[in-house]
Amino acid sequence: AVTITLKQGRRGPNRLWQPLCTSEIQKLVKDLYKRINTSAFKSAYRRHGKRVFILGAIEGNGVDKRKHIHLSIGIPNHYDEQYFKSWLLNEIPKYQWVYKQYKVDILETKLDEAKWHNYLTKDGFELDLFEPQTHSRDSPNKNW
């Protein structure tokens, strides 16, 4: 379970104020997703399409709420949970739109996962940022 709070705007290269838009948030998440997959699967990510499961939502498009991202990210079988968490906590602040607050939690039980996914899909979220990887039992990609 990952929550990343975002800056609402920043000074661009031309020193003009650039407000945060949905396309910038999508770029950030897609790049983070690519980094996770490259780190987890190396060239198998590119060559064989191995990917971790990800589900995400943007919240905070209103005036009174800071924009932030909620993600559910599958941890690859060959990764230690604590290593993956510390790796993510190290990667997240590298992005220019990330504000001071971000959080990564390991979901210990199926009930925790169900509660988090229920929270992700509540009303008011913009979903379908990513195409969650759907795999059949026969799929060669069983690494998530």
PDB file of all heavy atoms in Angstrom, residues 10-47:
ATOM      1  N   ARG A  10       4.820  23.910  -9.442  1.00  0.00           N
ATOM      2  CA  ARG A  10       6.256  24.178  -9.276  1.00  0.00           C
ATOM      3  C   ARG A  10       6.685  25.197 -10.321  1.00  0.00           C
ATOM      4  O   ARG A  10       5.963  25.466 -11.276  1.00  0.00           O
ATOM      5  CB  ARG A  10       7.081  22.902  -9.418  1.00  0.00           C
ATOM      6  CG  ARG A  10       7.036  22.295 -10.802  1.00  0.00           C
ATOM      7  CD  ARG A  10       7.848  21.013 -10.879  1.00  0.00           C
ATOM      8  NE  ARG A  10       7.762  20.439 -12.191  1.00  0.00           N
ATOM      9  CZ  ARG A  10       8.618  20.681 -13.192  1.00  0.00           C
ATOM     10  NH1 ARG A  10       9.621  21.497 -13.008  1.00  0.00           N
ATOM     11  NH2 ARG A  10       8.464  20.116 -14.360  1.00  0.00           N
ATOM     12  N   ARG A  11       7.843  25.750 -10.134  1.00  0.00           N
ATOM     13  CA  ARG A  11       8.409  26.659 -11.118  1.00  0.00           C
ATOM     14  C   ARG A  11       9.025  25.829 -12.248  1.00  0.00           C
ATOM     15  O   ARG A  11       9.831  24.951 -11.993  1.00  0.00           O
ATOM     16  CB  ARG A  11       9.491  27.536 -10.507  1.00  0.00           C
ATOM     17  CG  ARG A  11       8.968  28.446  -9.436  1.00  0.00           C
ATOM     18  CD  ARG A  11       8.601  29.791 -10.024  1.00  0.00           C
ATOM     19  NE  ARG A  11       8.015  30.618  -8.983  1.00  0.00           N
ATOM     20  CZ  ARG A  11       6.895  31.279  -9.107  1.00  0.00           C
ATOM     21  NH1 ARG A  11       6.230  31.225 -10.239  1.00  0.00           N
ATOM     22  NH2 ARG A  11       6.413  31.991  -8.136  1.00  0.00           N
ATOM     23  N   GLY A  12       8.625  26.109 -13.461  1.00  0.00           N
ATOM     24  CA  GLY A  12       9.155  25.397 -14.624  1.00  0.00           C
ATOM     25  C   GLY A  12      10.521  25.927 -15.012  1.00  0.00           C
ATOM     26  O   GLY A  12      11.047  26.863 -14.398  1.00  0.00           O
ATOM     27  N   PRO A  13      11.109  25.348 -16.062  1.00  0.00           N
ATOM     28  CA  PRO A  13      12.431  25.798 -16.516  1.00  0.00           C
ATOM     29  C   PRO A  13      12.444  27.267 -16.931  1.00  0.00           C
ATOM     30  O   PRO A  13      13.458  27.935 -16.823  1.00  0.00           O
ATOM     31  CB  PRO A  13      12.731  24.912 -17.725  1.00  0.00           C
ATOM     32  CG  PRO A  13      11.685  23.868 -17.766  1.00  0.00           C
ATOM     33  CD  PRO A  13      10.582  24.257 -16.842  1.00  0.00           C
ATOM     34  N   ASN A  14      11.312  27.779 -17.377  1.00  0.00           N
ATOM     35  CA  ASN A  14      11.226  29.186 -17.786  1.00  0.00           C
ATOM     36  C   ASN A  14      10.807  30.095 -16.628  1.00  0.00           C
ATOM     37  O   ASN A  14      10.449  31.234 -16.837  1.00  0.00           O
ATOM     38  CB  ASN A  14      10.262  29.334 -18.954  1.00  0.00           C
ATOM     39  CG  ASN A  14       8.898  28.743 -18.630  1.00  0.00           C
ATOM     40  OD1 ASN A  14       8.659  28.290 -17.516  1.00  0.00           O
ATOM     41  ND2 ASN A  14       8.010  28.755 -19.596  1.00  0.00           N
ATOM     42  N   ARG A  15      10.837  29.544 -15.408  1.00  0.00           N
ATOM     43  CA  ARG A  15      10.514  30.255 -14.158  1.00  0.00           C
ATOM     44  C   ARG A  15       9.043  30.611 -14.024  1.00  0.00           C
ATOM     45  O   ARG A  15       8.654  31.362 -13.151  1.00  0.00           O
ATOM     46  CB  ARG A  15      11.363  31.516 -13.987  1.00  0.00           C
ATOM     47  CG  ARG A  15      12.864  31.321 -14.094  1.00  0.00           C
ATOM     48  CD  ARG A  15      13.472  30.461 -13.022  1.00  0.00           C
ATOM     49  NE  ARG A  15      13.288  31.022 -11.709  1.00  0.00           N
ATOM     50  CZ  ARG A  15      13.249  30.299 -10.593  1.00  0.00           C
ATOM     51  NH1 ARG A  15      13.396  29.012 -10.643  1.00  0.00           N
ATOM     52  NH2 ARG A  15      13.075  30.875  -9.437  1.00  0.00           N
ATOM     53  N   LEU A  16       8.192  30.093 -14.902  1.00  0.00           N
ATOM     54  CA  LEU A  16       6.750  30.306 -14.792  1.00  0.00           C
ATOM     55  C   LEU A  16       6.140  29.215 -13.927  1.00  0.00           C
ATOM     56  O   LEU A  16       6.626  28.093 -13.896  1.00  0.00           O
ATOM     57  CB  LEU A  16       6.090  30.306 -16.177  1.00  0.00           C
ATOM     58  CG  LEU A  16       6.505  31.431 -17.117  1.00  0.00           C
ATOM     59  CD1 LEU A  16       5.856  31.237 -18.476  1.00  0.00           C
ATOM     60  CD2 LEU A  16       6.150  32.781 -16.536  1.00  0.00           C
ATOM     61  N   TRP A  17       5.066  29.563 -13.234  1.00  0.00           N
ATOM     62  CA  TRP A  17       4.384  28.614 -12.362  1.00  0.00           C
ATOM     63  C   TRP A  17       3.685  27.551 -13.208  1.00  0.00           C
ATOM     64  O   TRP A  17       2.940  27.858 -14.120  1.00  0.00           O
ATOM     65  CB  TRP A  17       3.376  29.334 -11.480  1.00  0.00           C
ATOM     66  CG  TRP A  17       2.713  28.424 -10.510  1.00  0.00           C
ATOM     67  CD1 TRP A  17       1.431  27.966 -10.565  1.00  0.00           C
ATOM     68  CD2 TRP A  17       3.281  27.860  -9.344  1.00  0.00           C
ATOM     69  NE1 TRP A  17       1.172  27.155  -9.501  1.00  0.00           N
ATOM     70  CE2 TRP A  17       2.302  27.064  -8.730  1.00  0.00           C
ATOM     71  CE3 TRP A  17       4.542  27.921  -8.744  1.00  0.00           C
ATOM     72  CZ2 TRP A  17       2.521  26.349  -7.550  1.00  0.00           C
ATOM     73  CZ3 TRP A  17       4.763  27.217  -7.578  1.00  0.00           C
ATOM     74  CH2 TRP A  17       3.757  26.443  -6.993  1.00  0.00           C
ATOM     75  N   GLN A  18       3.944  26.299 -12.905  1.00  0.00           N
ATOM     76  CA  GLN A  18       3.356  25.177 -13.625  1.00  0.00           C
ATOM     77  C   GLN A  18       2.501  24.377 -12.646  1.00  0.00           C
ATOM     78  O   GLN A  18       3.026  23.717 -11.764  1.00  0.00           O
ATOM     79  CB  GLN A  18       4.469  24.294 -14.204  1.00  0.00           C
ATOM     80  CG  GLN A  18       3.975  23.071 -14.912  1.00  0.00           C
ATOM     81  CD  GLN A  18       5.132  22.169 -15.356  1.00  0.00           C
ATOM     82  OE1 GLN A  18       6.298  22.444 -15.100  1.00  0.00           O
ATOM     83  NE2 GLN A  18       4.787  21.085 -16.014  1.00  0.00           N
ATOM     84  N   PRO A  19       1.174  24.447 -12.787  1.00  0.00           N
ATOM     85  CA  PRO A  19       0.325  23.664 -11.891  1.00  0.00           C
ATOM     86  C   PRO A  19       0.396  22.178 -12.232  1.00  0.00           C
ATOM     87  O   PRO A  19       0.650  21.795 -13.374  1.00  0.00           O
ATOM     88  CB  PRO A  19      -1.078  24.212 -12.150  1.00  0.00           C
ATOM     89  CG  PRO A  19      -1.023  24.810 -13.500  1.00  0.00           C
ATOM     90  CD  PRO A  19       0.400  25.241 -13.722  1.00  0.00           C
ATOM     91  N   LEU A  20       0.194  21.352 -11.232  1.00  0.00           N
ATOM     92  CA  LEU A  20       0.205  19.904 -11.422  1.00  0.00           C
ATOM     93  C   LEU A  20      -1.061  19.475 -12.161  1.00  0.00           C
ATOM     94  O   LEU A  20      -2.165  19.851 -11.778  1.00  0.00           O
ATOM     95  CB  LEU A  20       0.276  19.199 -10.068  1.00  0.00           C
ATOM     96  CG  LEU A  20       0.236  17.678 -10.084  1.00  0.00           C
ATOM     97  CD1 LEU A  20       1.444  17.113 -10.832  1.00  0.00           C
ATOM     98  CD2 LEU A  20       0.205  17.152  -8.665  1.00  0.00           C
ATOM     99  N   CYS A  21      -0.900  18.701 -13.225  1.00  0.00           N
ATOM    100  CA  CYS A  21      -2.053  18.207 -13.981  1.00  0.00           C
ATOM    101  C   CYS A  21      -2.035  16.671 -13.968  1.00  0.00           C
ATOM    102  O   CYS A  21      -1.029  16.050 -13.627  1.00  0.00           O
ATOM    103  CB  CYS A  21      -2.057  18.746 -15.406  1.00  0.00           C
ATOM    104  SG  CYS A  21      -0.629  18.249 -16.368  1.00  0.00           S
ATOM    105  N   THR A  22      -3.150  16.094 -14.353  1.00  0.00           N
ATOM    106  CA  THR A  22      -3.300  14.639 -14.328  1.00  0.00           C
ATOM    107  C   THR A  22      -2.264  13.947 -15.201  1.00  0.00           C
ATOM    108  O   THR A  22      -1.742  12.900 -14.831  1.00  0.00           O
ATOM    109  CB  THR A  22      -4.723  14.244 -14.764  1.00  0.00           C
ATOM    110  OG1 THR A  22      -5.659  14.900 -13.899  1.00  0.00           O
ATOM    111  CG2 THR A  22      -4.935  12.751 -14.666  1.00  0.00           C
ATOM    112  N   SER A  23      -1.938  14.528 -16.336  1.00  0.00           N
ATOM    113  CA  SER A  23      -0.955  13.879 -17.218  1.00  0.00           C
ATOM    114  C   SER A  23       0.426  13.797 -16.554  1.00  0.00           C
ATOM    115  O   SER A  23       1.146  12.812 -16.744  1.00  0.00           O
ATOM    116  CB  SER A  23      -0.867  14.597 -18.559  1.00  0.00           C
ATOM    117  OG  SER A  23      -0.355  15.899 -18.401  1.00  0.00           O
ATOM    118  N   GLU A  24       0.798  14.795 -15.759  1.00  0.00           N
ATOM    119  CA  GLU A  24       2.078  14.748 -15.038  1.00  0.00           C
ATOM    120  C   GLU A  24       2.059  13.657 -13.969  1.00  0.00           C
ATOM    121  O   GLU A  24       3.056  12.980 -13.740  1.00  0.00           O
ATOM    122  CB  GLU A  24       2.397  16.100 -14.394  1.00  0.00           C
ATOM    123  CG  GLU A  24       2.770  17.175 -15.381  1.00  0.00           C
ATOM    124  CD  GLU A  24       4.085  16.908 -16.090  1.00  0.00           C
ATOM    125  OE1 GLU A  24       4.991  16.269 -15.520  1.00  0.00           O
ATOM    126  OE2 GLU A  24       4.205  17.342 -17.243  1.00  0.00           O
ATOM    127  N   ILE A  25       0.911  13.495 -13.313  1.00  0.00           N
ATOM    128  CA  ILE A  25       0.779  12.441 -12.304  1.00  0.00           C
ATOM    129  C   ILE A  25       0.901  11.076 -12.978  1.00  0.00           C
ATOM    130  O   ILE A  25       1.592  10.183 -12.479  1.00  0.00           O
ATOM    131  CB  ILE A  25      -0.563  12.564 -11.554  1.00  0.00           C
ATOM    132  CG1 ILE A  25      -0.633  13.897 -10.810  1.00  0.00           C
ATOM    133  CG2 ILE A  25      -0.737  11.406 -10.579  1.00  0.00           C
ATOM    134  CD1 ILE A  25      -1.994  14.217 -10.223  1.00  0.00           C
ATOM    135  N   GLN A  26       0.249  10.920 -14.113  1.00  0.00           N
ATOM    136  CA  GLN A  26       0.317   9.654 -14.837  1.00  0.00           C
ATOM    137  C   GLN A  26       1.748   9.349 -15.274  1.00  0.00           C
ATOM    138  O   GLN A  26       2.203   8.217 -15.164  1.00  0.00           O
ATOM    139  CB  GLN A  26      -0.621   9.681 -16.041  1.00  0.00           C
ATOM    140  CG  GLN A  26      -2.075   9.638 -15.647  1.00  0.00           C
ATOM    141  CD  GLN A  26      -3.003   9.815 -16.834  1.00  0.00           C
ATOM    142  OE1 GLN A  26      -2.646  10.430 -17.834  1.00  0.00           O
ATOM    143  NE2 GLN A  26      -4.202   9.272 -16.712  1.00  0.00           N
ATOM    144  N   LYS A  27       2.483  10.359 -15.738  1.00  0.00           N
ATOM    145  CA  LYS A  27       3.878  10.162 -16.128  1.00  0.00           C
ATOM    146  C   LYS A  27       4.704   9.690 -14.940  1.00  0.00           C
ATOM    147  O   LYS A  27       5.535   8.793 -15.073  1.00  0.00           O
ATOM    148  CB  LYS A  27       4.477  11.464 -16.670  1.00  0.00           C
ATOM    149  CG  LYS A  27       4.111  11.802 -18.071  1.00  0.00           C
ATOM    150  CD  LYS A  27       4.900  13.050 -18.490  1.00  0.00           C
ATOM    151  CE  LYS A  27       4.113  13.875 -19.463  1.00  0.00           C
ATOM    152  NZ  LYS A  27       4.799  15.139 -19.783  1.00  0.00           N
ATOM    153  N   LEU A  28       4.497  10.324 -13.787  1.00  0.00           N
ATOM    154  CA  LEU A  28       5.231   9.959 -12.580  1.00  0.00           C
ATOM    155  C   LEU A  28       4.986   8.499 -12.232  1.00  0.00           C
ATOM    156  O   LEU A  28       5.929   7.739 -11.994  1.00  0.00           O
ATOM    157  CB  LEU A  28       4.801  10.858 -11.415  1.00  0.00           C
ATOM    158  CG  LEU A  28       5.485  10.653 -10.083  1.00  0.00           C
ATOM    159  CD1 LEU A  28       5.530  11.971  -9.328  1.00  0.00           C
ATOM    160  CD2 LEU A  28       4.816   9.616  -9.230  1.00  0.00           C
ATOM    161  N   VAL A  29       3.732   8.087 -12.223  1.00  0.00           N
ATOM    162  CA  VAL A  29       3.403   6.721 -11.828  1.00  0.00           C
ATOM    163  C   VAL A  29       3.910   5.712 -12.859  1.00  0.00           C
ATOM    164  O   VAL A  29       4.443   4.665 -12.496  1.00  0.00           O
ATOM    165  CB  VAL A  29       1.890   6.562 -11.586  1.00  0.00           C
ATOM    166  CG1 VAL A  29       1.539   5.118 -11.280  1.00  0.00           C
ATOM    167  CG2 VAL A  29       1.453   7.454 -10.443  1.00  0.00           C
ATOM    168  N   LYS A  30       3.778   6.038 -14.124  1.00  0.00           N
ATOM    169  CA  LYS A  30       4.273   5.122 -15.157  1.00  0.00           C
ATOM    170  C   LYS A  30       5.785   4.961 -15.064  1.00  0.00           C
ATOM    171  O   LYS A  30       6.312   3.860 -15.241  1.00  0.00           O
ATOM    172  CB  LYS A  30       3.860   5.605 -16.550  1.00  0.00           C
ATOM    173  CG  LYS A  30       2.390   5.369 -16.816  1.00  0.00           C
ATOM    174  CD  LYS A  30       1.977   5.884 -18.176  1.00  0.00           C
ATOM    175  CE  LYS A  30       0.485   5.698 -18.374  1.00  0.00           C
ATOM    176  NZ  LYS A  30       0.016   6.179 -19.669  1.00  0.00           N
ATOM    177  N   ASP A  31       6.496   6.044 -14.775  1.00  0.00           N
ATOM    178  CA  ASP A  31       7.939   5.945 -14.631  1.00  0.00           C
ATOM    179  C   ASP A  31       8.319   5.136 -13.391  1.00  0.00           C
ATOM    180  O   ASP A  31       9.239   4.316 -13.438  1.00  0.00           O
ATOM    181  CB  ASP A  31       8.577   7.335 -14.574  1.00  0.00           C
ATOM    182  CG  ASP A  31      10.086   7.250 -14.616  1.00  0.00           C
ATOM    183  OD1 ASP A  31      10.626   6.752 -15.632  1.00  0.00           O
ATOM    184  OD2 ASP A  31      10.729   7.664 -13.633  1.00  0.00           O
ATOM    185  N   LEU A  32       7.609   5.352 -12.293  1.00  0.00           N
ATOM    186  CA  LEU A  32       7.857   4.571 -11.077  1.00  0.00           C
ATOM    187  C   LEU A  32       7.594   3.088 -11.344  1.00  0.00           C
ATOM    188  O   LEU A  32       8.372   2.225 -10.947  1.00  0.00           O
ATOM    189  CB  LEU A  32       6.988   5.065  -9.919  1.00  0.00           C
ATOM    190  CG  LEU A  32       7.131   4.313  -8.596  1.00  0.00           C
ATOM    191  CD1 LEU A  32       8.555   4.411  -8.064  1.00  0.00           C
ATOM    192  CD2 LEU A  32       6.131   4.836  -7.579  1.00  0.00           C
ATOM    193  N   TYR A  33       6.516   2.806 -12.056  1.00  0.00           N
ATOM    194  CA  TYR A  33       6.170   1.423 -12.406  1.00  0.00           C
ATOM    195  C   TYR A  33       7.279   0.791 -13.256  1.00  0.00           C
ATOM    196  O   TYR A  33       7.679  -0.350 -13.026  1.00  0.00           O
ATOM    197  CB  TYR A  33       4.829   1.426 -13.146  1.00  0.00           C
ATOM    198  CG  TYR A  33       4.253   0.075 -13.455  1.00  0.00           C
ATOM    199  CD1 TYR A  33       4.206  -0.934 -12.508  1.00  0.00           C
ATOM    200  CD2 TYR A  33       3.720  -0.183 -14.708  1.00  0.00           C
ATOM    201  CE1 TYR A  33       3.647  -2.167 -12.790  1.00  0.00           C
ATOM    202  CE2 TYR A  33       3.160  -1.420 -15.004  1.00  0.00           C
ATOM    203  CZ  TYR A  33       3.127  -2.406 -14.039  1.00  0.00           C
ATOM    204  OH  TYR A  33       2.577  -3.625 -14.333  1.00  0.00           O
ATOM    205  N   LYS A  34       7.805   1.548 -14.193  1.00  0.00           N
ATOM    206  CA  LYS A  34       8.892   1.049 -15.035  1.00  0.00           C
ATOM    207  C   LYS A  34      10.134   0.772 -14.192  1.00  0.00           C
ATOM    208  O   LYS A  34      10.805  -0.250 -14.377  1.00  0.00           O
ATOM    209  CB  LYS A  34       9.205   2.067 -16.136  1.00  0.00           C
ATOM    210  CG  LYS A  34      10.244   1.608 -17.111  1.00  0.00           C
ATOM    211  CD  LYS A  34      10.456   2.649 -18.200  1.00  0.00           C
ATOM    212  CE  LYS A  34      11.551   2.212 -19.151  1.00  0.00           C
ATOM    213  NZ  LYS A  34      11.790   3.213 -20.199  1.00  0.00           N
ATOM    214  N   ARG A  35      10.457   1.680 -13.272  1.00  0.00           N
ATOM    215  CA  ARG A  35      11.621   1.468 -12.395  1.00  0.00           C
ATOM    216  C   ARG A  35      11.455   0.222 -11.527  1.00  0.00           C
ATOM    217  O   ARG A  35      12.411  -0.526 -11.322  1.00  0.00           O
ATOM    218  CB  ARG A  35      11.831   2.678 -11.484  1.00  0.00           C
ATOM    219  CG  ARG A  35      12.482   3.827 -12.148  1.00  0.00           C
ATOM    220  CD  ARG A  35      12.847   4.883 -11.124  1.00  0.00           C
ATOM    221  NE  ARG A  35      13.211   6.128 -11.767  1.00  0.00           N
ATOM    222  CZ  ARG A  35      13.641   7.185 -11.114  1.00  0.00           C
ATOM    223  NH1 ARG A  35      13.740   7.160  -9.796  1.00  0.00           N
ATOM    224  NH2 ARG A  35      13.956   8.284 -11.762  1.00  0.00           N
ATOM    225  N   ILE A  36      10.251   0.021 -11.002  1.00  0.00           N
ATOM    226  CA  ILE A  36       9.992  -1.157 -10.171  1.00  0.00           C
ATOM    227  C   ILE A  36      10.198  -2.421 -11.001  1.00  0.00           C
ATOM    228  O   ILE A  36      10.882  -3.362 -10.574  1.00  0.00           O
ATOM    229  CB  ILE A  36       8.565  -1.119  -9.590  1.00  0.00           C
ATOM    230  CG1 ILE A  36       8.439  -0.003  -8.556  1.00  0.00           C
ATOM    231  CG2 ILE A  36       8.191  -2.470  -8.975  1.00  0.00           C
ATOM    232  CD1 ILE A  36       7.011   0.308  -8.144  1.00  0.00           C
ATOM    233  N   ASN A  37       9.602  -2.465 -12.182  1.00  0.00           N
ATOM    234  CA  ASN A  37       9.711  -3.655 -13.028  1.00  0.00           C
ATOM    235  C   ASN A  37      11.140  -3.907 -13.490  1.00  0.00           C
ATOM    236  O   ASN A  37      11.595  -5.050 -13.524  1.00  0.00           O
ATOM    237  CB  ASN A  37       8.776  -3.535 -14.230  1.00  0.00           C
ATOM    238  CG  ASN A  37       7.341  -3.727 -13.833  1.00  0.00           C
ATOM    239  OD1 ASN A  37       7.006  -4.624 -13.067  1.00  0.00           O
ATOM    240  ND2 ASN A  37       6.466  -2.873 -14.345  1.00  0.00           N
ATOM    241  N   THR A  38      11.858  -2.851 -13.841  1.00  0.00           N
ATOM    242  CA  THR A  38      13.246  -3.004 -14.271  1.00  0.00           C
ATOM    243  C   THR A  38      14.101  -3.514 -13.122  1.00  0.00           C
ATOM    244  O   THR A  38      14.952  -4.384 -13.309  1.00  0.00           O
ATOM    245  CB  THR A  38      13.799  -1.666 -14.801  1.00  0.00           C
ATOM    246  OG1 THR A  38      12.967  -1.227 -15.877  1.00  0.00           O
ATOM    247  CG2 THR A  38      15.219  -1.809 -15.299  1.00  0.00           C
ATOM    248  N   SER A  39      13.875  -2.995 -11.925  1.00  0.00           N
ATOM    249  CA  SER A  39      14.629  -3.443 -10.769  1.00  0.00           C
ATOM    250  C   SER A  39      14.308  -4.896 -10.420  1.00  0.00           C
ATOM    251  O   SER A  39      15.194  -5.677 -10.095  1.00  0.00           O
ATOM    252  CB  SER A  39      14.323  -2.546  -9.566  1.00  0.00           C
ATOM    253  OG  SER A  39      14.939  -3.048  -8.413  1.00  0.00           O
ATOM    254  N   ALA A  40      13.038  -5.255 -10.497  1.00  0.00           N
ATOM    255  CA  ALA A  40      12.607  -6.595 -10.097  1.00  0.00           C
ATOM    256  C   ALA A  40      12.979  -7.665 -11.117  1.00  0.00           C
ATOM    257  O   ALA A  40      13.386  -8.767 -10.745  1.00  0.00           O
ATOM    258  CB  ALA A  40      11.100  -6.608  -9.856  1.00  0.00           C
ATOM    259  N   PHE A  41      12.812  -7.363 -12.401  1.00  0.00           N
ATOM    260  CA  PHE A  41      12.942  -8.405 -13.424  1.00  0.00           C
ATOM    261  C   PHE A  41      14.068  -8.178 -14.427  1.00  0.00           C
ATOM    262  O   PHE A  41      14.231  -8.978 -15.344  1.00  0.00           O
ATOM    263  CB  PHE A  41      11.614  -8.546 -14.171  1.00  0.00           C
ATOM    264  CG  PHE A  41      10.475  -8.875 -13.268  1.00  0.00           C
ATOM    265  CD1 PHE A  41       9.423  -7.990 -13.113  1.00  0.00           C
ATOM    266  CD2 PHE A  41      10.455 -10.058 -12.545  1.00  0.00           C
ATOM    267  CE1 PHE A  41       8.365  -8.283 -12.267  1.00  0.00           C
ATOM    268  CE2 PHE A  41       9.408 -10.359 -11.699  1.00  0.00           C
ATOM    269  CZ  PHE A  41       8.359  -9.475 -11.559  1.00  0.00           C
ATOM    270  N   LYS A  42      14.810  -7.087 -14.277  1.00  0.00           N
ATOM    271  CA  LYS A  42      15.920  -6.761 -15.179  1.00  0.00           C
ATOM    272  C   LYS A  42      15.445  -6.781 -16.636  1.00  0.00           C
ATOM    273  O   LYS A  42      14.434  -6.211 -16.948  1.00  0.00           O
ATOM    274  CB  LYS A  42      17.098  -7.718 -14.956  1.00  0.00           C
ATOM    275  CG  LYS A  42      17.527  -7.854 -13.517  1.00  0.00           C
ATOM    276  CD  LYS A  42      18.113  -6.576 -12.976  1.00  0.00           C
ATOM    277  CE  LYS A  42      18.608  -6.795 -11.556  1.00  0.00           C
ATOM    278  NZ  LYS A  42      18.085  -5.900 -10.601  1.00  0.00           N
ATOM    279  N   SER A  43      16.152  -7.470 -17.503  1.00  0.00           N
ATOM    280  CA  SER A  43      15.788  -7.458 -18.926  1.00  0.00           C
ATOM    281  C   SER A  43      14.554  -8.312 -19.224  1.00  0.00           C
ATOM    282  O   SER A  43      13.949  -8.161 -20.281  1.00  0.00           O
ATOM    283  CB  SER A  43      16.962  -7.925 -19.784  1.00  0.00           C
ATOM    284  OG  SER A  43      17.277  -9.263 -19.493  1.00  0.00           O
ATOM    285  N   ALA A  44      14.160  -9.197 -18.319  1.00  0.00           N
ATOM    286  CA  ALA A  44      12.944 -10.003 -18.530  1.00  0.00           C
ATOM    287  C   ALA A  44      11.709  -9.108 -18.578  1.00  0.00           C
ATOM    288  O   ALA A  44      10.710  -9.478 -19.190  1.00  0.00           O
ATOM    289  CB  ALA A  44      12.793 -11.052 -17.441  1.00  0.00           C
ATOM    290  N   TYR A  45      11.789  -7.944 -17.949  1.00  0.00           N
ATOM    291  CA  TYR A  45      10.688  -6.977 -18.028  1.00  0.00           C
ATOM    292  C   TYR A  45      10.487  -6.536 -19.471  1.00  0.00           C
ATOM    293  O   TYR A  45       9.373  -6.531 -19.989  1.00  0.00           O
ATOM    294  CB  TYR A  45      10.993  -5.781 -17.114  1.00  0.00           C
ATOM    295  CG  TYR A  45      10.229  -4.527 -17.427  1.00  0.00           C
ATOM    296  CD1 TYR A  45       8.849  -4.492 -17.312  1.00  0.00           C
ATOM    297  CD2 TYR A  45      10.888  -3.375 -17.837  1.00  0.00           C
ATOM    298  CE1 TYR A  45       8.140  -3.331 -17.599  1.00  0.00           C
ATOM    299  CE2 TYR A  45      10.185  -2.214 -18.111  1.00  0.00           C
ATOM    300  CZ  TYR A  45       8.818  -2.201 -17.997  1.00  0.00           C
ATOM    301  OH  TYR A  45       8.113  -1.064 -18.276  1.00  0.00           O
ATOM    302  N   ARG A  46      11.568  -6.189 -20.133  1.00  0.00           N
ATOM    303  CA  ARG A  46      11.497  -5.716 -21.506  1.00  0.00           C
ATOM    304  C   ARG A  46      11.321  -6.862 -22.500  1.00  0.00           C
ATOM    305  O   ARG A  46      10.515  -6.791 -23.409  1.00  0.00           O
ATOM    306  CB  ARG A  46      12.766  -4.920 -21.824  1.00  0.00           C
ATOM    307  CG  ARG A  46      12.698  -4.098 -23.077  1.00  0.00           C
ATOM    308  CD  ARG A  46      13.992  -3.318 -23.325  1.00  0.00           C
ATOM    309  NE  ARG A  46      15.104  -4.194 -23.690  1.00  0.00           N
ATOM    310  CZ  ARG A  46      16.092  -4.589 -22.882  1.00  0.00           C
ATOM    311  NH1 ARG A  46      16.125  -4.162 -21.636  1.00  0.00           N
ATOM    312  NH2 ARG A  46      17.054  -5.364 -23.284  1.00  0.00           N
ATOM    313  N   ARG A  47      12.064  -7.934 -22.311  1.00  0.00           N
ATOM    314  CA  ARG A  47      12.060  -9.031 -23.278  1.00  0.00           C
ATOM    315  C   ARG A  47      10.836  -9.935 -23.196  1.00  0.00           C
ATOM    316  O   ARG A  47      10.320 -10.378 -24.208  1.00  0.00           O
ATOM    317  CB  ARG A  47      13.300  -9.901 -23.092  1.00  0.00           C
ATOM    318  CG  ARG A  47      14.559  -9.226 -23.499  1.00  0.00           C
ATOM    319  CD  ARG A  47      15.715 -10.173 -23.342  1.00  0.00           C
ATOM    320  NE  ARG A  47      16.961  -9.522 -23.679  1.00  0.00           N
ATOM    321  CZ  ARG A  47      18.138 -10.085 -23.528  1.00  0.00           C
ATOM    322  NH1 ARG A  47      18.236 -11.297 -23.045  1.00  0.00           N
ATOM    323  NH2 ARG A  47      19.218  -9.425 -23.865  1.00  0.00           N
TER     324      ARG A  47
END
